Amino acid sequence: MLRVDVEKQLGEFSLQASFTGEGRVIGLFGASGAGKTSLVNMIAGLLRPDRGTIVLDGETVDDTAAGIHVPAWRRRIGYVFQDARLFPHLNVAQNLDYGRRMNRLAPDPAQHARVIDLLDIGTLLGRRPGKLSGGERQRVALGRALLAKPRLLLLDEPLGALDEGRKLEILPYLVRLRDEANVPMVYVSHDAAELRQLATQIVMLKQGRVTSLGGVKMLA
Amino acid sequence: MSDISPAEWTAILLSVRVAIIATLVATPFGIALAWLLARRDFWGKSMLDAIVHLPLVLPPVVTGYLLLLTFGRRGLVGGFLADHLGIVFSFRWTGAALACGVMSFPLLVRPMRLSIEAIDRRLEQAAETLGAAPWKVFLTVTLPLALPGVLAGMVLGFAKAIGEFGATITFVSNIPGETQTISSAIYSLIQTPDGDAAAGRLVIVSIVLALGALIAAEWFARRATQRLHGN
């Protein structure tokens, strides 16, 4: 369970968001500029709220009043960015293994094989990110985040940089991920159709404020 | 080239040794400073930047003289190092290495700084979300991506160090076998009757070393671009 109650001033823009998320996929919906990315950056620990608390599964990762700010690298919250951000100096296999190495987790060949199979990236392992298509890059980024065994996975418009055809290529993987990977997700998008397919709960954000909370039906 | 005399070889080898030591010792400081200047904002940053570049614009004689005042046997730092650690710089090859290191430092730092600045910081954020502590982010993402720039800085620093003259001769003089580098050997030779041929040979050696270093730096810079594009 994720409980967020934060305030952040970013220049002229003020973000004030409060919601409790339960269920497998929390869809964070809003137009561009609504503050979605800033909000997930705060959940990830990359951005510090001015005021407020963030609690994940009973662990307080941010509490400004108590002076608590768990740094991003200790949160075990995975993040898939819109622009993949694969490490250009590492090949796909090394990118996938990065999170496991950094967290000093024992090798888990079964999970490794499952994720590679789920995302269909077995043939890409020896390649450098520069030699991948946009869709392939995003699948590898998903695998890399999953293999670090996160408690929560943030996906910030993971299809945003892809054209229509590529989106349809990745969407089924995301559905499989939701149904099989067993990691709760926060899925950010400005595309209602995408969220209708994936989300189990919707948090609607408008100009830095949460305007409504509820089931996927509210996007209809 | 086969008629390079033993004395000339001594000067060449000393120059190479001095430049290698100067570069190797300066590199960790260079990386730290490059990172600081590229990534941190702090009070006095432009002052620090100016001080780093000072040897580039000060007359080398002035830099050498300041080194003599500071690191000489009776200097503030030099006296302490000599009394407590037994490290002596004045009129030793170690002093030549110090002078070369200081003089080449701006050239060594610059490509390192540029290559760190060119790294997409969002990659470092991605590493953090994957569980990498800040020092691991530096070692596994920042440094590998900056490596071609680091090497280019080392090559340029080496090239500058091997040709250093003014600060070195002021600080540690021109003692054959101890502090006489290629540059100071050429300087002595052209003041000696019949020294022209020997000076000419050393001039050719200098040109070859400098050109080689510049070509190497260029090659590393090209590698850096490729690396950042993930090919």
Side-chain angles (χ1 to χ4, degrees), chain A residues 97-128:
Chain A
D97 208 32
Y98 188 86
R100 186 193 64 76
R101 274 174 44 222
M102 291 303 121
N103 289 299
R104 300 195 184 171
L105 305 173
D108 184 345
Q111 196 215 11
H112 197 259
R114 204 166 52 240
V115 168
I116 285 174
D117 182 50
L118 190 79
L119 296 166
D120 230 343
I121 49 180
T123 54
L124 310 175
L125 295 179
R127 287 203 225 160
R128 285 293 191 90

PDB file of all heavy atoms in Angstrom, chain A residues 97-128:
ATOM      1  N   ASP A  97      21.518  -6.895 -15.314  1.00  0.00           N
ATOM      2  CA  ASP A  97      22.109  -7.415 -14.080  1.00  0.00           C
ATOM      3  C   ASP A  97      22.483  -6.306 -13.088  1.00  0.00           C
ATOM      4  O   ASP A  97      22.838  -6.581 -11.946  1.00  0.00           O
ATOM      5  CB  ASP A  97      23.370  -8.216 -14.442  1.00  0.00           C
ATOM      6  CG  ASP A  97      23.660  -9.299 -13.421  1.00  0.00           C
ATOM      7  OD1 ASP A  97      22.692  -9.828 -12.841  1.00  0.00           O
ATOM      8  OD2 ASP A  97      24.846  -9.590 -13.181  1.00  0.00           O
ATOM      9  N   TYR A  98      22.402  -5.050 -13.555  1.00  0.00           N
ATOM     10  CA  TYR A  98      22.918  -3.929 -12.759  1.00  0.00           C
ATOM     11  C   TYR A  98      22.274  -3.822 -11.376  1.00  0.00           C
ATOM     12  O   TYR A  98      22.961  -3.717 -10.355  1.00  0.00           O
ATOM     13  CB  TYR A  98      22.712  -2.616 -13.529  1.00  0.00           C
ATOM     14  CG  TYR A  98      23.373  -1.424 -12.884  1.00  0.00           C
ATOM     15  CD1 TYR A  98      24.699  -1.127 -13.138  1.00  0.00           C
ATOM     16  CD2 TYR A  98      22.669  -0.590 -12.015  1.00  0.00           C
ATOM     17  CE1 TYR A  98      25.311  -0.029 -12.551  1.00  0.00           C
ATOM     18  CE2 TYR A  98      23.276   0.504 -11.419  1.00  0.00           C
ATOM     19  CZ  TYR A  98      24.596   0.770 -11.699  1.00  0.00           C
ATOM     20  OH  TYR A  98      25.207   1.858 -11.098  1.00  0.00           O
ATOM     21  N   GLY A  99      20.948  -3.869 -11.327  1.00  0.00           N
ATOM     22  CA  GLY A  99      20.236  -3.700 -10.060  1.00  0.00           C
ATOM     23  C   GLY A  99      20.560  -4.810  -9.069  1.00  0.00           C
ATOM     24  O   GLY A  99      20.720  -4.572  -7.871  1.00  0.00           O
ATOM     25  N   ARG A 100      20.668  -6.033  -9.588  1.00  0.00           N
ATOM     26  CA  ARG A 100      21.003  -7.165  -8.710  1.00  0.00           C
ATOM     27  C   ARG A 100      22.384  -6.953  -8.087  1.00  0.00           C
ATOM     28  O   ARG A 100      22.574  -7.142  -6.893  1.00  0.00           O
ATOM     29  CB  ARG A 100      21.000  -8.477  -9.504  1.00  0.00           C
ATOM     30  CG  ARG A 100      21.203  -9.712  -8.640  1.00  0.00           C
ATOM     31  CD  ARG A 100      21.512 -10.949  -9.465  1.00  0.00           C
ATOM     32  NE  ARG A 100      22.759 -10.867 -10.200  1.00  0.00           N
ATOM     33  CZ  ARG A 100      23.960 -11.003  -9.647  1.00  0.00           C
ATOM     34  NH1 ARG A 100      24.085 -11.227  -8.365  1.00  0.00           N
ATOM     35  NH2 ARG A 100      25.056 -10.900 -10.385  1.00  0.00           N
ATOM     36  N   ARG A 101      23.337  -6.504  -8.923  1.00  0.00           N
ATOM     37  CA  ARG A 101      24.693  -6.289  -8.411  1.00  0.00           C
ATOM     38  C   ARG A 101      24.726  -5.172  -7.367  1.00  0.00           C
ATOM     39  O   ARG A 101      25.368  -5.289  -6.328  1.00  0.00           O
ATOM     40  CB  ARG A 101      25.638  -5.933  -9.565  1.00  0.00           C
ATOM     41  CG  ARG A 101      26.217  -7.162 -10.254  1.00  0.00           C
ATOM     42  CD  ARG A 101      27.026  -6.754 -11.478  1.00  0.00           C
ATOM     43  NE  ARG A 101      27.892  -5.610 -11.223  1.00  0.00           N
ATOM     44  CZ  ARG A 101      28.061  -4.589 -12.078  1.00  0.00           C
ATOM     45  NH1 ARG A 101      27.421  -4.578 -13.218  1.00  0.00           N
ATOM     46  NH2 ARG A 101      28.871  -3.601 -11.777  1.00  0.00           N
ATOM     47  N   MET A 102      24.020  -4.072  -7.659  1.00  0.00           N
ATOM     48  CA  MET A 102      24.055  -2.923  -6.754  1.00  0.00           C
ATOM     49  C   MET A 102      23.386  -3.245  -5.423  1.00  0.00           C
ATOM     50  O   MET A 102      23.777  -2.745  -4.382  1.00  0.00           O
ATOM     51  CB  MET A 102      23.360  -1.713  -7.387  1.00  0.00           C
ATOM     52  CG  MET A 102      24.104  -1.128  -8.554  1.00  0.00           C
ATOM     53  SD  MET A 102      25.788  -0.638  -8.126  1.00  0.00           S
ATOM     54  CE  MET A 102      26.744  -1.635  -9.244  1.00  0.00           C
ATOM     55  N   ASN A 103      22.362  -4.095  -5.446  1.00  0.00           N
ATOM     56  CA  ASN A 103      21.663  -4.459  -4.208  1.00  0.00           C
ATOM     57  C   ASN A 103      22.265  -5.689  -3.546  1.00  0.00           C
ATOM     58  O   ASN A 103      21.749  -6.177  -2.546  1.00  0.00           O
ATOM     59  CB  ASN A 103      20.186  -4.704  -4.506  1.00  0.00           C
ATOM     60  CG  ASN A 103      19.447  -3.416  -4.831  1.00  0.00           C
ATOM     61  OD1 ASN A 103      19.383  -2.517  -4.014  1.00  0.00           O
ATOM     62  ND2 ASN A 103      18.936  -3.317  -6.035  1.00  0.00           N
ATOM     63  N   ARG A 104      23.350  -6.187  -4.161  1.00  0.00           N
ATOM     64  CA  ARG A 104      24.019  -7.399  -3.656  1.00  0.00           C
ATOM     65  C   ARG A 104      23.056  -8.552  -3.437  1.00  0.00           C
ATOM     66  O   ARG A 104      23.071  -9.215  -2.385  1.00  0.00           O
ATOM     67  CB  ARG A 104      24.751  -7.100  -2.355  1.00  0.00           C
ATOM     68  CG  ARG A 104      25.777  -6.040  -2.587  1.00  0.00           C
ATOM     69  CD  ARG A 104      26.761  -5.947  -1.488  1.00  0.00           C
ATOM     70  NE  ARG A 104      27.642  -4.832  -1.766  1.00  0.00           N
ATOM     71  CZ  ARG A 104      28.519  -4.355  -0.932  1.00  0.00           C
ATOM     72  NH1 ARG A 104      28.648  -4.903   0.246  1.00  0.00           N
ATOM     73  NH2 ARG A 104      29.285  -3.352  -1.260  1.00  0.00           N
ATOM     74  N   LEU A 105      22.184  -8.770  -4.400  1.00  0.00           N
ATOM     75  CA  LEU A 105      21.262  -9.896  -4.323  1.00  0.00           C
ATOM     76  C   LEU A 105      21.953 -11.114  -4.928  1.00  0.00           C
ATOM     77  O   LEU A 105      22.754 -10.986  -5.844  1.00  0.00           O
ATOM     78  CB  LEU A 105      19.992  -9.596  -5.115  1.00  0.00           C
ATOM     79  CG  LEU A 105      19.230  -8.321  -4.748  1.00  0.00           C
ATOM     80  CD1 LEU A 105      18.096  -8.079  -5.725  1.00  0.00           C
ATOM     81  CD2 LEU A 105      18.698  -8.422  -3.321  1.00  0.00           C
ATOM     82  N   ALA A 106      21.629 -12.282  -4.391  1.00  0.00           N
ATOM     83  CA  ALA A 106      22.177 -13.511  -4.959  1.00  0.00           C
ATOM     84  C   ALA A 106      21.574 -13.713  -6.346  1.00  0.00           C
ATOM     85  O   ALA A 106      20.442 -13.297  -6.588  1.00  0.00           O
ATOM     86  CB  ALA A 106      21.834 -14.690  -4.054  1.00  0.00           C
ATOM     87  N   PRO A 107      22.329 -14.308  -7.269  1.00  0.00           N
ATOM     88  CA  PRO A 107      21.757 -14.561  -8.594  1.00  0.00           C
ATOM     89  C   PRO A 107      20.499 -15.407  -8.475  1.00  0.00           C
ATOM     90  O   PRO A 107      20.425 -16.311  -7.639  1.00  0.00           O
ATOM     91  CB  PRO A 107      22.861 -15.347  -9.320  1.00  0.00           C
ATOM     92  CG  PRO A 107      24.110 -15.036  -8.581  1.00  0.00           C
ATOM     93  CD  PRO A 107      23.716 -14.788  -7.162  1.00  0.00           C
ATOM     94  N   ASP A 108      19.502 -15.072  -9.273  1.00  0.00           N
ATOM     95  CA  ASP A 108      18.241 -15.798  -9.235  1.00  0.00           C
ATOM     96  C   ASP A 108      17.912 -16.200 -10.675  1.00  0.00           C
ATOM     97  O   ASP A 108      17.151 -15.530 -11.363  1.00  0.00           O
ATOM     98  CB  ASP A 108      17.156 -14.874  -8.655  1.00  0.00           C
ATOM     99  CG  ASP A 108      15.815 -15.576  -8.495  1.00  0.00           C
ATOM    100  OD1 ASP A 108      15.637 -16.669  -9.080  1.00  0.00           O
ATOM    101  OD2 ASP A 108      14.948 -15.033  -7.798  1.00  0.00           O
ATOM    102  N   PRO A 109      18.521 -17.309 -11.135  1.00  0.00           N
ATOM    103  CA  PRO A 109      18.403 -17.686 -12.548  1.00  0.00           C
ATOM    104  C   PRO A 109      16.944 -17.894 -12.967  1.00  0.00           C
ATOM    105  O   PRO A 109      16.566 -17.545 -14.095  1.00  0.00           O
ATOM    106  CB  PRO A 109      19.162 -19.010 -12.639  1.00  0.00           C
ATOM    107  CG  PRO A 109      20.010 -19.066 -11.421  1.00  0.00           C
ATOM    108  CD  PRO A 109      19.318 -18.266 -10.372  1.00  0.00           C
ATOM    109  N   ALA A 110      16.119 -18.382 -12.031  1.00  0.00           N
ATOM    110  CA  ALA A 110      14.721 -18.643 -12.385  1.00  0.00           C
ATOM    111  C   ALA A 110      14.009 -17.338 -12.709  1.00  0.00           C
ATOM    112  O   ALA A 110      13.343 -17.210 -13.742  1.00  0.00           O
ATOM    113  CB  ALA A 110      14.024 -19.369 -11.239  1.00  0.00           C
ATOM    114  N   GLN A 111      14.169 -16.338 -11.838  1.00  0.00           N
ATOM    115  CA  GLN A 111      13.515 -15.053 -12.078  1.00  0.00           C
ATOM    116  C   GLN A 111      14.083 -14.390 -13.344  1.00  0.00           C
ATOM    117  O   GLN A 111      13.361 -13.832 -14.150  1.00  0.00           O
ATOM    118  CB  GLN A 111      13.700 -14.110 -10.873  1.00  0.00           C
ATOM    119  CG  GLN A 111      12.721 -12.938 -10.931  1.00  0.00           C
ATOM    120  CD  GLN A 111      13.288 -11.638 -10.403  1.00  0.00           C
ATOM    121  OE1 GLN A 111      14.481 -11.515 -10.155  1.00  0.00           O
ATOM    122  NE2 GLN A 111      12.429 -10.647 -10.250  1.00  0.00           N
ATOM    123  N   HIS A 112      15.408 -14.479 -13.479  1.00  0.00           N
ATOM    124  CA  HIS A 112      16.101 -13.925 -14.634  1.00  0.00           C
ATOM    125  C   HIS A 112      15.481 -14.475 -15.923  1.00  0.00           C
ATOM    126  O   HIS A 112      15.097 -13.723 -16.825  1.00  0.00           O
ATOM    127  CB  HIS A 112      17.587 -14.301 -14.525  1.00  0.00           C
ATOM    128  CG  HIS A 112      18.475 -13.490 -15.408  1.00  0.00           C
ATOM    129  ND1 HIS A 112      18.948 -13.969 -16.599  1.00  0.00           N
ATOM    130  CD2 HIS A 112      18.976 -12.245 -15.262  1.00  0.00           C
ATOM    131  CE1 HIS A 112      19.699 -13.048 -17.158  1.00  0.00           C
ATOM    132  NE2 HIS A 112      19.737 -11.986 -16.373  1.00  0.00           N
ATOM    133  N   ALA A 113      15.351 -15.802 -15.957  1.00  0.00           N
ATOM    134  CA  ALA A 113      14.802 -16.451 -17.155  1.00  0.00           C
ATOM    135  C   ALA A 113      13.343 -16.041 -17.366  1.00  0.00           C
ATOM    136  O   ALA A 113      12.907 -15.799 -18.494  1.00  0.00           O
ATOM    137  CB  ALA A 113      14.916 -17.961 -17.011  1.00  0.00           C
ATOM    138  N   ARG A 114      12.591 -15.938 -16.269  1.00  0.00           N
ATOM    139  CA  ARG A 114      11.185 -15.598 -16.370  1.00  0.00           C
ATOM    140  C   ARG A 114      10.999 -14.188 -16.941  1.00  0.00           C
ATOM    141  O   ARG A 114      10.185 -13.967 -17.840  1.00  0.00           O
ATOM    142  CB  ARG A 114      10.521 -15.695 -14.986  1.00  0.00           C
ATOM    143  CG  ARG A 114       9.027 -15.930 -15.033  1.00  0.00           C
ATOM    144  CD  ARG A 114       8.474 -16.361 -13.677  1.00  0.00           C
ATOM    145  NE  ARG A 114       8.844 -15.474 -12.611  1.00  0.00           N
ATOM    146  CZ  ARG A 114       9.540 -15.824 -11.524  1.00  0.00           C
ATOM    147  NH1 ARG A 114       9.937 -17.089 -11.382  1.00  0.00           N
ATOM    148  NH2 ARG A 114       9.835 -14.945 -10.598  1.00  0.00           N
ATOM    149  N   VAL A 115      11.783 -13.244 -16.426  1.00  0.00           N
ATOM    150  CA  VAL A 115      11.654 -11.856 -16.889  1.00  0.00           C
ATOM    151  C   VAL A 115      12.072 -11.735 -18.351  1.00  0.00           C
ATOM    152  O   VAL A 115      11.402 -11.080 -19.159  1.00  0.00           O
ATOM    153  CB  VAL A 115      12.495 -10.912 -15.989  1.00  0.00           C
ATOM    154  CG1 VAL A 115      12.617  -9.533 -16.623  1.00  0.00           C
ATOM    155  CG2 VAL A 115      11.868 -10.801 -14.612  1.00  0.00           C
ATOM    156  N   ILE A 116      13.172 -12.410 -18.704  1.00  0.00           N
ATOM    157  CA  ILE A 116      13.639 -12.347 -20.088  1.00  0.00           C
ATOM    158  C   ILE A 116      12.601 -12.950 -21.032  1.00  0.00           C
ATOM    159  O   ILE A 116      12.325 -12.417 -22.109  1.00  0.00           O
ATOM    160  CB  ILE A 116      15.008 -13.061 -20.208  1.00  0.00           C
ATOM    161  CG1 ILE A 116      16.089 -12.171 -19.600  1.00  0.00           C
ATOM    162  CG2 ILE A 116      15.328 -13.379 -21.666  1.00  0.00           C
ATOM    163  CD1 ILE A 116      17.444 -12.814 -19.525  1.00  0.00           C
ATOM    164  N   ASP A 117      11.971 -14.020 -20.557  1.00  0.00           N
ATOM    165  CA  ASP A 117      10.957 -14.679 -21.356  1.00  0.00           C
ATOM    166  C   ASP A 117       9.698 -13.811 -21.462  1.00  0.00           C
ATOM    167  O   ASP A 117       9.132 -13.626 -22.536  1.00  0.00           O
ATOM    168  CB  ASP A 117      10.630 -16.035 -20.699  1.00  0.00           C
ATOM    169  CG  ASP A 117       9.621 -16.812 -21.503  1.00  0.00           C
ATOM    170  OD1 ASP A 117       9.851 -16.944 -22.720  1.00  0.00           O
ATOM    171  OD2 ASP A 117       8.611 -17.258 -20.929  1.00  0.00           O
ATOM    172  N   LEU A 118       9.298 -13.249 -20.332  1.00  0.00           N
ATOM    173  CA  LEU A 118       8.110 -12.404 -20.271  1.00  0.00           C
ATOM    174  C   LEU A 118       8.214 -11.222 -21.233  1.00  0.00           C
ATOM    175  O   LEU A 118       7.251 -10.825 -21.871  1.00  0.00           O
ATOM    176  CB  LEU A 118       7.948 -11.896 -18.831  1.00  0.00           C
ATOM    177  CG  LEU A 118       6.662 -11.182 -18.453  1.00  0.00           C
ATOM    178  CD1 LEU A 118       5.560 -12.201 -18.218  1.00  0.00           C
ATOM    179  CD2 LEU A 118       6.865 -10.367 -17.187  1.00  0.00           C
ATOM    180  N   LEU A 119       9.400 -10.659 -21.326  1.00  0.00           N
ATOM    181  CA  LEU A 119       9.592  -9.453 -22.131  1.00  0.00           C
ATOM    182  C   LEU A 119      10.178  -9.760 -23.504  1.00  0.00           C
ATOM    183  O   LEU A 119      10.379  -8.855 -24.316  1.00  0.00           O
ATOM    184  CB  LEU A 119      10.506  -8.466 -21.392  1.00  0.00           C
ATOM    185  CG  LEU A 119       9.945  -7.917 -20.081  1.00  0.00           C
ATOM    186  CD1 LEU A 119      11.032  -7.248 -19.268  1.00  0.00           C
ATOM    187  CD2 LEU A 119       8.826  -6.921 -20.378  1.00  0.00           C
ATOM    188  N   ASP A 120      10.505 -11.046 -23.717  1.00  0.00           N
ATOM    189  CA  ASP A 120      10.976 -11.446 -25.036  1.00  0.00           C
ATOM    190  C   ASP A 120      12.268 -10.733 -25.441  1.00  0.00           C
ATOM    191  O   ASP A 120      12.378 -10.193 -26.537  1.00  0.00           O
ATOM    192  CB  ASP A 120       9.885 -11.081 -26.069  1.00  0.00           C
ATOM    193  CG  ASP A 120       9.577 -12.266 -26.941  1.00  0.00           C
ATOM    194  OD1 ASP A 120      10.396 -13.198 -26.970  1.00  0.00           O
ATOM    195  OD2 ASP A 120       8.523 -12.247 -27.588  1.00  0.00           O
ATOM    196  N   ILE A 121      13.220 -10.693 -24.533  1.00  0.00           N
ATOM    197  CA  ILE A 121      14.450  -9.944 -24.825  1.00  0.00           C
ATOM    198  C   ILE A 121      15.667 -10.856 -24.877  1.00  0.00           C
ATOM    199  O   ILE A 121      16.808 -10.371 -24.902  1.00  0.00           O
ATOM    200  CB  ILE A 121      14.678  -8.804 -23.794  1.00  0.00           C
ATOM    201  CG1 ILE A 121      14.522  -9.330 -22.364  1.00  0.00           C
ATOM    202  CG2 ILE A 121      13.725  -7.656 -24.039  1.00  0.00           C
ATOM    203  CD1 ILE A 121      14.725  -8.277 -21.302  1.00  0.00           C
ATOM    204  N   GLY A 122      15.435 -12.174 -24.916  1.00  0.00           N
ATOM    205  CA  GLY A 122      16.531 -13.139 -24.912  1.00  0.00           C
ATOM    206  C   GLY A 122      17.523 -12.967 -26.052  1.00  0.00           C
ATOM    207  O   GLY A 122      18.720 -13.212 -25.890  1.00  0.00           O
ATOM    208  N   THR A 123      17.038 -12.505 -27.203  1.00  0.00           N
ATOM    209  CA  THR A 123      17.941 -12.395 -28.355  1.00  0.00           C
ATOM    210  C   THR A 123      18.743 -11.094 -28.342  1.00  0.00           C
ATOM    211  O   THR A 123      19.601 -10.879 -29.185  1.00  0.00           O
ATOM    212  CB  THR A 123      17.134 -12.433 -29.668  1.00  0.00           C
ATOM    213  OG1 THR A 123      16.132 -11.420 -29.602  1.00  0.00           O
ATOM    214  CG2 THR A 123      16.463 -13.786 -29.861  1.00  0.00           C
ATOM    215  N   LEU A 124      18.438 -10.211 -27.374  1.00  0.00           N
ATOM    216  CA  LEU A 124      19.092  -8.891 -27.374  1.00  0.00           C
ATOM    217  C   LEU A 124      20.278  -8.818 -26.417  1.00  0.00           C
ATOM    218  O   LEU A 124      20.995  -7.814 -26.394  1.00  0.00           O
ATOM    219  CB  LEU A 124      18.084  -7.803 -26.960  1.00  0.00           C
ATOM    220  CG  LEU A 124      16.725  -7.780 -27.674  1.00  0.00           C
ATOM    221  CD1 LEU A 124      15.823  -6.718 -27.057  1.00  0.00           C
ATOM    222  CD2 LEU A 124      16.935  -7.497 -29.158  1.00  0.00           C
ATOM    223  N   LEU A 125      20.493  -9.868 -25.630  1.00  0.00           N
ATOM    224  CA  LEU A 125      21.402  -9.782 -24.484  1.00  0.00           C
ATOM    225  C   LEU A 125      22.801  -9.246 -24.795  1.00  0.00           C
ATOM    226  O   LEU A 125      23.381  -8.531 -24.000  1.00  0.00           O
ATOM    227  CB  LEU A 125      21.522 -11.163 -23.811  1.00  0.00           C
ATOM    228  CG  LEU A 125      20.215 -11.670 -23.188  1.00  0.00           C
ATOM    229  CD1 LEU A 125      20.409 -13.044 -22.575  1.00  0.00           C
ATOM    230  CD2 LEU A 125      19.711 -10.702 -22.137  1.00  0.00           C
ATOM    231  N   GLY A 126      23.350  -9.602 -25.962  1.00  0.00           N
ATOM    232  CA  GLY A 126      24.718  -9.191 -26.263  1.00  0.00           C
ATOM    233  C   GLY A 126      24.822  -7.809 -26.868  1.00  0.00           C
ATOM    234  O   GLY A 126      25.907  -7.292 -27.078  1.00  0.00           O
ATOM    235  N   ARG A 127      23.682  -7.167 -27.141  1.00  0.00           N
ATOM    236  CA  ARG A 127      23.721  -5.893 -27.862  1.00  0.00           C
ATOM    237  C   ARG A 127      23.908  -4.694 -26.949  1.00  0.00           C
ATOM    238  O   ARG A 127      23.566  -4.732 -25.778  1.00  0.00           O
ATOM    239  CB  ARG A 127      22.419  -5.711 -28.641  1.00  0.00           C
ATOM    240  CG  ARG A 127      22.364  -6.613 -29.846  1.00  0.00           C
ATOM    241  CD  ARG A 127      21.407  -6.022 -30.848  1.00  0.00           C
ATOM    242  NE  ARG A 127      20.549  -7.081 -31.354  1.00  0.00           N
ATOM    243  CZ  ARG A 127      19.379  -6.854 -31.943  1.00  0.00           C
ATOM    244  NH1 ARG A 127      18.929  -5.618 -32.046  1.00  0.00           N
ATOM    245  NH2 ARG A 127      18.665  -7.848 -32.388  1.00  0.00           N
ATOM    246  N   ARG A 128      24.429  -3.613 -27.539  1.00  0.00           N
ATOM    247  CA  ARG A 128      24.521  -2.342 -26.838  1.00  0.00           C
ATOM    248  C   ARG A 128      23.214  -1.566 -27.039  1.00  0.00           C
ATOM    249  O   ARG A 128      22.576  -1.714 -28.081  1.00  0.00           O
ATOM    250  CB  ARG A 128      25.674  -1.504 -27.407  1.00  0.00           C
ATOM    251  CG  ARG A 128      27.066  -1.963 -26.981  1.00  0.00           C
ATOM    252  CD  ARG A 128      27.256  -1.731 -25.495  1.00  0.00           C
ATOM    253  NE  ARG A 128      28.648  -1.916 -25.130  1.00  0.00           N
ATOM    254  CZ  ARG A 128      29.551  -0.945 -25.126  1.00  0.00           C
ATOM    255  NH1 ARG A 128      29.224   0.275 -25.508  1.00  0.00           N
ATOM    256  NH2 ARG A 128      30.792  -1.186 -24.762  1.00  0.00           N
TER     257      ARG A 128
END
